[in-house]
């Protein structure tokens, strides 16, 4: 007899909690193999082809194209076993983060206000595979979580955790506090006398979801948590442009200006490692990182994304150029993976492509700094004691004031400017 298995939307990693169905790749009645992609979904990070861990015949699909589903919601059911066209009965168990056919407990997740919790997985006999909560100690490990709940009068016994086996995490307590605060505000508003107000205007409503929603959440968190400051300097980029022209005239692969700036960034971070760090707020520690995973801002039709060049400090200008080109093309086509959009330690933002000179960018949380580069344009400049027309660029550094003071930030920016003005400075320090 065939056994019907339910495949749920897997945890796609990096804290993503929902995805939108873009395109089904199979129909009901189709035979699928283990690890065959069955649906294309769009997360807040990228477009992802989701493979099915079971081989068999598709018996049902859940959700039309354009529907947004939470992680853990049913995607499709597959009939497996000898009666299902001789299909395989075992799954791979290793396709994406957080799902498979192993016996590991399913990841539990919070349910947002107004959102229906996904049903527990069903076995072939129709019974629920979820374990009933047993009486016993409250599933909390961290003393910080207990203290936070105690200080705010929360009863942990009334909470359901989102961690493994219902473990209550700090995020669960903070979520409960925010929910209680929102309810309190709503009650106060309802009790207060309402003054007459003007009717709101009409207009276009654009949902903050997908990439735009993720960017909004991340930038808002950065502004809330990071005490940032910005310093800037004008630099004469004439010699850097000449050096690039000479390199590209040699007949080898073309070198991009972004790659040269990235090479300067990694050299500067080696001298000022404070800016290649993150802040562990719970431990009250600044964590200086060994590798430089360099993010760069890329504007696409789907919104702003920040692909990450892994181990940028170990790449030369040619390799950086090739990786920038690959990631930019993937960003343009919407094929960046979640792993290519996360894990950055420092961001290079070339907003000069928009025809502007300067900006005060928002730090890409949880990083500690971002270098901004304006357009490179001819301007009057005093060069060797005389007024001349030179290629001038404005450089800005926005940094987390918790990781360093202005002296370190200014030293970093001055070193970058020196390398832009005199590329030989970079060669002397390699």
């Amino acid at each position: 007899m065939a056994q019907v298995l339910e495949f749920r939307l897997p945890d796609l990693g990096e804290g993503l909690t929902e995805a939108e169905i873009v395109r089904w790749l199979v129909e009901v009645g189709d035979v699928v193999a283990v690890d065959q992609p069955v649906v294309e979904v769009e997360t807040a990070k990228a477009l992802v082809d989701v493979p099915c861990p079971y081989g068999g015949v598709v018996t049902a699909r859940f959700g039309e194209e354009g529907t947004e589903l939470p992680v853990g919601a049913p995607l499709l059911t597959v009939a497996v076993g000898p009666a299902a066209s001789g299909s395989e009965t075992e799954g791979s168990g290793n396709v994406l983060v957080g799902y498979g056919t192993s016996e590991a407990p399913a990841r539990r997740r919070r349910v947002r206000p107004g959102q229906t919790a996904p049903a527990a997985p069903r076995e072939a006999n129709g019974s629920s595979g979820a374990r009933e909560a047993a009486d016993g100690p409250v599933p909390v490990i961290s003393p910080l979580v207990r203290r936070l709940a105690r200080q705010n009068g929360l009863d942990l016994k009334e909470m359901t955790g989102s961690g493994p086996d219902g473990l209550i995490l700090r995020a669960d307590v903070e979520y409960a506090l925010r929910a209680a605060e929102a309810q309190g505000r709503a009650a106060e508003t309802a009790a207060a006398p309402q003054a007459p107000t003007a009717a709101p205007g009409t207009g276009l409503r654009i949902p903050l979801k997908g990439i735009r929603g993720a960017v909004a959440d991340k930038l808002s968190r950065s502004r809330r948590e990071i005490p940032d400051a910005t310093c800037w300097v004008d630099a004469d980029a004439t010699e850097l442009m000449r050096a690039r022209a000479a390199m590209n005239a040699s007949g080898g692969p073309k070198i991009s200006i972004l790659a040269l700036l990235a090479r300067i960034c990694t050299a500067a971070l080696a001298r000022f490692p404070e800016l290649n760090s993150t802040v562990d707020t719970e431990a009250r520690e600044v964590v200086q990182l060994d590798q430089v995973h360099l993010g760069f801002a890329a504007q696409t039709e789907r919104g702003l994304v920040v692909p990450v060049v892994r181990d940028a400090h170990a790449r030369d200008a040619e390799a950086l150029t090739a990786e920038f080109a690959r990631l930019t093309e993937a960003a343009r086509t919407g094929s960046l993976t979640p792993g290519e959009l996360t894990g950055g330690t420092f961001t290079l933002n070339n907003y000069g492509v928009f025809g502007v000179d300067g900006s005060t960018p928002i730090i890409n949380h949880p990083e500690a700094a971002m270098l901004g580069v304006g357009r490179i344009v001819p301007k009057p400049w005093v060069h060797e004691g005389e007024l001349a027309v030179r290629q001038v660029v404005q450089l800005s550094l926005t940094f987390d004031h918790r990781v360093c003071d202005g002296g370190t930030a200014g030293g970093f920016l001055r070193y970058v400017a020196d390398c832009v003005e005199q590329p030989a400075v970079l060669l002397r320090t390699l």
Side-chain angles (χ1 to χ4, degrees):
M1 256 184 96
Q3 180 184 21
V4 177
L5 298 178
E6 187 177 74
F7 173 43
R8 296 169 171 270
L9 178 64
D11 179 354
L12 300 172
E14 302 297 339
L16 301 174
T17 58
E18 59 268 325
E20 180 180 321
I21 296 175
V22 175
R23 181 167 59 101
W24 282 104
L25 305 178
V26 294
E27 302 286 344
V28 173
D30 287 354
V31 176
V32 296
V34 171
D35 294 353
Q36 176 181 332
V38 292
V39 65
E40 182 183 62
V41 301
E42 181 178 22
T43 71
K45 301 290 186 181
L47 289 174
V48 179
D49 285 344
V50 180
C52 180
Y54 310 120
V57 177
V58 177
T59 58
R61 299 187 320 193
F62 302 97
E64 300 296 327
E65 293 178 356
T67 303
E68 189 170 80
L69 298 177
V71 168
L75 269 180
L76 50 77
T77 54
V78 179
V80 302
S85 304
S87 60
E88 302 174 62
T89 60
E90 294 186 357
S92 63
N94 60 356
V95 188
L96 285 174
V97 176
Y99 80 92
T101 56
S102 68
E103 296 300 320
R107 175 179 181 266
R108 300 179 65 178
R109 62 184 298 273
R110 289 195 306 274
V111 180
R112 298 178 177 177
Q115 176 178 306
T116 303
R122 294 278 173 181
E123 305 294 342
N125 59 7
S127 64
S128 172
R131 295 184 301 157
E132 295 295 330
D135 293 334
V138 178
V140 181
I141 295 177
S142 170
L144 292 175
V145 172
R146 290 185 180 276
R147 185 176 65 184
L148 183 61
R150 184 173 61 253
Q151 290 174 343
N152 291 276
L154 289 180
D155 186 354
L156 292 173
K157 293 181 180 179
E158 297 180 356
M159 296 182 60
T160 300
S162 62
D165 285 336
L167 180 68
I168 297 176
L169 308 177
R170 177 171 181 169
D172 299 321
V173 175
E174 292 174 342
Y175 176 81
L177 292 176
R178 289 195 299 270
E181 182 181 356
Q183 290 176 355
R185 287 198 303 266
E188 290 177 2
T189 301
Q194 300 296 313
T197 57
T202 59
L204 177 65
R205 288 179 175 265
I206 303 174
L208 278 175
K209 65 177 186 176
I211 285 183
R212 187 168 296 278
V215 169
D217 292 341
K218 195 162 192 175
L219 296 183
S220 297
R221 182 177 182 183
S222 179
R223 275 289 188 237
R224 286 195 308 268
E225 296 185 8
I226 299 178
D228 59 348
T230 302
C231 53
W232 57 89
V233 65
D234 289 340
D236 180 359
T238 305
E239 297 305 323
L240 181 68
M241 300 300 287
R242 286 176 179 170
R244 174 176 176 254
M247 295 169 71
N248 289 341
S250 64
K254 301 298 183 183
I255 304 299
S256 70
I257 189 65
L258 187 63
L260 293 179
L261 291 169
R263 193 69 189 86
I264 292 172
C265 275
T266 58
L269 289 172
R271 294 170 67 93
F272 301 91
E274 298 91 336
L275 294 167
N276 191 58
S277 63
T278 188
V279 176
D280 185 336
T281 54
E282 290 195 11
R284 293 185 63 82
E285 294 176 341
V286 175
V287 183
Q288 291 187 12
L289 305 168
D290 296 329
Q291 292 83 27
V292 178
H293 302 317
L294 187 67
F296 67 99
Q299 191 71 40
T300 72
E301 292 182 357
R302 299 171 60 243
L304 177 69
V305 294
V306 184
V308 177
V309 177
R310 303 286 167 182
D311 297 316
H313 60 287
R315 300 175 186 258
D316 59 17
E318 182 177 327
L320 286 168
T321 298
E323 187 66 355
F324 280 133
R326 184 188 73 82
L327 291 171
T328 299
E329 177 61 19
R332 187 186 66 81
T333 59
S335 58
L336 287 168
T337 66
E340 291 170 332
L341 284 163
T342 54
T345 64
F346 184 93
T347 296
L348 175 60
N349 187 355
N350 180 21
Y351 44 73
V353 297
F354 301 121
V356 298
D357 296 325
S359 174
T360 54
I362 301 175
I363 295 174
N364 189 21
H365 184 280
E367 298 171 14
M370 177 185 295
L371 179 70
V373 182
R375 60 178 181 162
I376 302 175
V377 292
K379 287 185 179 180
W381 189 266
V382 176
H383 176 65
E384 296 181 348
E386 296 184 358
L387 187 63
V389 176
R390 306 286 286 181
Q391 299 293 319
V392 178
V393 62
Q394 184 181 100
L395 306 169
S396 65
L397 177 71
T398 299
F399 65 98
D400 186 337
H401 224 313
R402 295 174 297 179
V403 306
C404 69
D405 295 326
T408 299
F412 174 93
L413 188 58
R414 188 63 257 171
Y415 176 80
V416 170
D418 289 344
C419 290
V420 167
E421 294 184 339
Q422 304 176 54
V425 172
L426 178 62
L427 297 176
R428 288 199 300 267
T429 57
L430 293 180

